[in-house]
Amino acid sequence: MENLDGSQYCDECGAILGGNIFSKQSESVRPPETPDFQSQMSEQPVFHPANITSVGVSPLYEEFPAAVMPLVNEESPKNKGINATLVIERGESIGTEFSLSAKESFIGRWDADNGIFPDVDLDAHDPEAKVSRKHARIIHEKGRYSVEDLGSTNGTFVNRGRRLIPGNAHSLNDGDEIIVGKTFLRFYTNE
């Protein structure tokens, strides 16, 4: 493929043709070099981390403080990030971990056709499809955890007790066993 005469870039690969294009740049592309244009540009505040110094603050901060300062999460460092973990304890995927960091974490099987994308996706770890698409959810509220069955076909069990009644939250403690379908999970909290 041949490039057109006067091309600055290769049509195939994008490489600069004929040396430094900036030395050949036409005057019509360059910004006007009038004193008015230069003074207008120097008056515009430009945010850059280097504009904030230990001696002073960028003029932009005085006008738009939220634009300069990072958002600060008021939660303690202990509550940031991963709050709990579910670990598979039985089957082909022993040791697979799922991190829980949201107030609600849904357990189920991935189903793109129906728009179901659970936080704890057991689709690859449930060959017999005993876990419902929307099986259960773990709730983190006021420093406490609970699990709730969402009307699953094969049920949710905690510490091999009775099947959970759908819609009723059951309190969770560090080290509790949760069984969803035929998948055995161990719940660990980082709090």
Side-chain angles (χ1 to χ4, degrees), residues 97-110:
E97 294 185 3
F98 299 94
S99 301
L100 309 177
S101 57
K103 289 189 179 197
E104 289 186 338
S105 299
F106 290 87
I107 301 170
R109 286 187 299 116
W110 187 79

Side-chain angles (χ1 to χ4, degrees), residues 39-84:
S39 65
Q40 288 173 359
M41 290 306 292
S42 64
E43 291 173 11
Q44 298 296 319
V46 177
F47 171 69
H48 188 276
N51 291 349
I52 301 173
T53 66
S54 58
V55 176
V57 176
S58 166
L60 183 61
Y61 174 72
E62 293 167 2
E63 192 172 343
F64 305 104
V68 177
M69 299 305 292
L71 295 175
V72 178
N73 188 346
E74 294 181 11
E75 293 183 277
S76 69
K78 182 178 179 182
N79 293 333
K80 290 181 182 179
I82 300 167
N83 298 321

Side-chain angles (χ1 to χ4, degrees), residues 80-158:
K80 290 181 182 179
I82 300 167
N83 298 321
T85 307
L86 286 177
V87 181
I88 296 178
E89 289 202 324
R90 267 193 168 165
E92 298 173 14
S93 304
I94 293 174
T96 302
E97 294 185 3
F98 299 94
S99 301
L100 309 177
S101 57
K103 289 189 179 197
E104 289 186 338
S105 299
F106 290 87
I107 301 170
R109 286 187 299 116
W110 187 79
D111 181 5
D113 293 339
N114 293 308
I116 300 169
F117 307 101
D119 304 295
V120 178
D121 179 13
L122 297 174
D123 191 44
H125 312 289
D126 180 34
E128 296 179 42
K130 298 295 182 180
V131 174
S132 298
R133 287 176 177 83
K134 292 182 180 179
H135 198 103
R137 71 177 174 155
I138 293 182
I139 305 159
H140 181 213
E141 190 173 59
K142 297 179 184 175
R144 303 280 304 154
Y145 286 90
S146 58
V147 63
E148 176 185 341
D149 186 87
L150 299 175
S152 65
T153 302
N154 294 308
T156 303
F157 304 85
V158 176

Side-chain angles (χ1 to χ4, degrees), residues 5 11 17 23 29 34 37 89 97 101 109-110 145 167 188:
D5 289 337
D11 290 334
L17 299 175
S23 62
V29 178
T34 63
F37 178 80
E89 289 202 324
E97 294 185 3
S101 57
R109 286 187 299 116
W110 187 79
Y145 286 90
Y188 296 104

Side-chain angles (χ1 to χ4, degrees), residues 2-15:
E2 288 189 33
N3 294 307
L4 297 173
D5 289 337
S7 295
Q8 295 178 349
Y9 299 98
C10 174
D11 290 334
E12 192 171 325
C13 70

